[in-house]
Amino acid sequence: MSPRRSAAEALGTRSAILDRSVAIASAEGLEGLTIGRLALELDMSKSGVLGHFGTKEALQLAVLERADEVFRAEVWEPARQAAPGLPRLRVLCEAWISYLEREVFPGGCFFVAAAHEFDGRPGPVRDAVEARFAAWRARLRKEARRAAEAGDLPSGTDADLLAFELTGLVMALNHAVQLHRDPEAGHLARRAVRARLGG
Amino acid sequence: MSPRRSAAEALGTRSAILDRSVAIASAEGLEGLTIGRLALELDMSKSGVLGHFGTKEALQLAVLERADEVFRAEVWEPARQAAPGLPRLRVLCEAWISYLEREVFPGGCFFVAAAHEFDGRPGPVRDAVEARFAAWRARLRKEARRAAEAGDLPSGTDADLLAFELTGLVMALNHAVQLHRDPEAGHLARRAVRARLGG
DNA sequence: CCTACCGATCGGTAGG
DNA sequence: CCTACCGATCGGTAGG
């Protein structure tokens, strides 16, 4: 056995660091995620942790990317199975609600939390968070537009407004689950979505 | 002049500390608010700042109270002029939207930010944040119920659901303003409120 | 990947 | 309200 780690082992370590990081940052925020704490929980030295990323900011960006992979697998992927337009929009909303109810990230939606943490701090992390939300909003709007054009939504439906409303419902759900631990919130969110999308 | 500050002067100092604290915490969060930074910006010593509150947690609670005074003056007070039920609910929503558009707190809604920061950290600060939201929700629900009972909302309107939806719209607005700097968001929020409350 | 270290900053205290 | 200080922890670096 050579004392040097193989590339595969290094990748495994990096992946383990990111898993832990997502768990910590989900509860404590991306700033609350500290190198020292990561090192302690992973039984590594601080420099061992930092060596994989270089700086804390690079670590934060990598954590965002890992969280995005989870979000895509949980929310975007299920919707690919459904037909474009209203059916897909419904699956998207249901997957989104379910992802929050099941607390896939124990601290609630990773991106909503990161948005609040970084919206007042210019820099690459803020830019990355904003880009993810912009992509998500564009996707919601596209499906809403398709649904409206297909005649599956009331005439005069505005895709922008609908995407805005759906985003708000999900934020209210996230808030109710995380702050109030309200077990009824999922029910409310589903009723509100149904009022918008029927079904 | 006695070297000791009078009670009035001490209150003035305390008030100045809280004003600065609200400004800092609004942008950086209640944890990002540090004694050292406050001391620097106020040209005081750290112990001089801390002496007014005892601990950082006590300072955070005092800051929340000060922020609540602002919120009440901005959003609750205007609504008292309006008749109970639908008229008051409309004024409440408009004041709420306006408060976010004008960025009364430069970092967006103080309580939404605090909720995200503390929902995973049990303790007095978290409890205080939750209590403010519970009071706000109760108020929204009460006016929604009155409006429904007066027949000013479509029959079958659920006050709980309506309060949930309105809260979501405001959160989406807060997010759009703070993260996306979207100048159209206030317009979207008003249209969504109008779709719910008419007018 | 490690040990050993850096300067800066944290909340808080002692004593006046 | 101050100075002077405490132990802990921060992100990061040097050198191996």
Side-chain angles (χ1 to χ4, degrees), chain A residues 60-164:
Chain A
Q60 291 173 325
L61 290 169
V63 172
L64 271 179
E65 201 167 308
R66 168 63 60 98
D68 197 42
E69 288 165 19
V70 174
F71 183 78
R72 283 170 182 269
E74 290 281 344
V75 183
W76 298 58
E77 277 306 315
R80 286 186 50 191
Q81 321 285 347
L86 187 59
R88 183 171 292 170
L89 199 53
R90 282 183 182 148
V91 173
L92 222 39
C93 288
E94 174 53 33
W96 206 4
I97 290 171
S98 165
Y99 145 89
L100 290 174
E101 272 185 323
R102 287 176 293 123
E103 299 197 68
V104 169
F105 297 116
C109 181
F110 202 92
F111 299 96
V112 171
H116 271 98
E117 204 176 351
F118 282 88
D119 59 17
R121 306 182 195 180
V125 176
R126 201 211 121 106
D127 294 345
V129 172
E130 190 176 358
R132 313 275 183 200
F133 270 101
W136 173 250
R137 195 159 99 169
R139 167 117 196 212
L140 271 184
R141 268 198 296 233
K142 187 171 84 176
E143 296 303 340
R145 206 178 324 113
R146 279 174 168 169
E149 282 166 3
D152 288 337
L153 288 173
S155 71
T157 293
D158 180 313
D160 272 26
L161 185 58
L162 183 55
F164 182 85

Side-chain angles (χ1 to χ4, degrees), chain A residues 25-26 28-31 64 107-122 125-126 128-130 133 167-168 170-172 174-175 178, chain B residues 24-32 99-100 105-119 121 133 167-181:
Chain A
S26 153
E28 322 272 354
L30 278 167
E31 279 307 328
L64 271 179
C109 181
F110 202 92
F111 299 96
V112 171
H116 271 98
E117 204 176 351
F118 282 88
D119 59 17
R121 306 182 195 180
V125 176
R126 201 211 121 106
V129 172
E130 190 176 358
F133 270 101
T167 302
V170 167
M171 286 179 174
N174 189 52
H175 178 266
Q178 293 299 319
Chain B
I24 295 174
S26 153
E28 321 273 354
L30 278 166
E31 280 307 328
Y99 145 88
L100 290 174
F105 298 115
C109 182
F110 202 94
F111 299 96
V112 171
H116 272 97
E117 202 175 353
F118 281 88
D119 60 16
R121 307 181 193 179
F133 270 103
T167 302
L169 292 175
V170 167
M171 286 179 174
L173 171 59
N174 190 51
H175 177 266
V177 169
Q178 293 299 317
L179 185 65
H180 301 295
R181 296 262 141 227

Side-chain angles (χ1 to χ4, degrees), chain B residues 30-44:
Chain B
L30 278 166
E31 280 307 328
L33 172 68
T34 68
I35 317 288
R37 178 170 171 186
L38 267 175
L40 196 77
E41 294 190 11
L42 291 164
D43 262 312
M44 293 174 65

Side-chain angles (χ1 to χ4, degrees), chain A residues 2 14 49 73 116 189 197:
Chain A
S2 93
R14 190 190 139 97
V49 170
H116 271 98
L197 304 183

Side-chain angles (χ1 to χ4, degrees), chain B residues 59-78:
Chain B
L59 168 64
Q60 290 173 325
L61 290 168
V63 172
L64 272 178
E65 203 167 307
R66 169 62 61 98
D68 197 42
E69 287 165 19
V70 174
F71 184 77
R72 283 170 181 267
E74 291 282 344
V75 183
W76 298 59
E77 276 306 314

Side-chain angles (χ1 to χ4, degrees), chain A residues 5-69:
Chain A
R5 296 275 183 271
S6 71
E9 283 172 323
L11 274 180
T13 303
R14 190 190 139 97
S15 192
I17 295 172
L18 287 178
D19 282 341
R20 258 272 167 252
S21 296
V22 166
I24 294 174
S26 153
E28 322 272 354
L30 278 167
E31 279 307 328
L33 172 69
T34 68
I35 318 287
R37 178 169 171 186
L38 267 175
L40 196 77
E41 294 190 10
L42 291 163
D43 262 313
M44 291 174 66
S45 68
K46 289 199 311 176
S47 71
V49 170
L50 204 53
H52 285 273
F53 306 95
T55 66
K56 177 164 181 179
E57 188 173 272
L59 167 64
Q60 291 173 325
L61 290 169
V63 172
L64 271 179
E65 201 167 308
R66 168 63 60 98
D68 197 42
E69 288 165 19

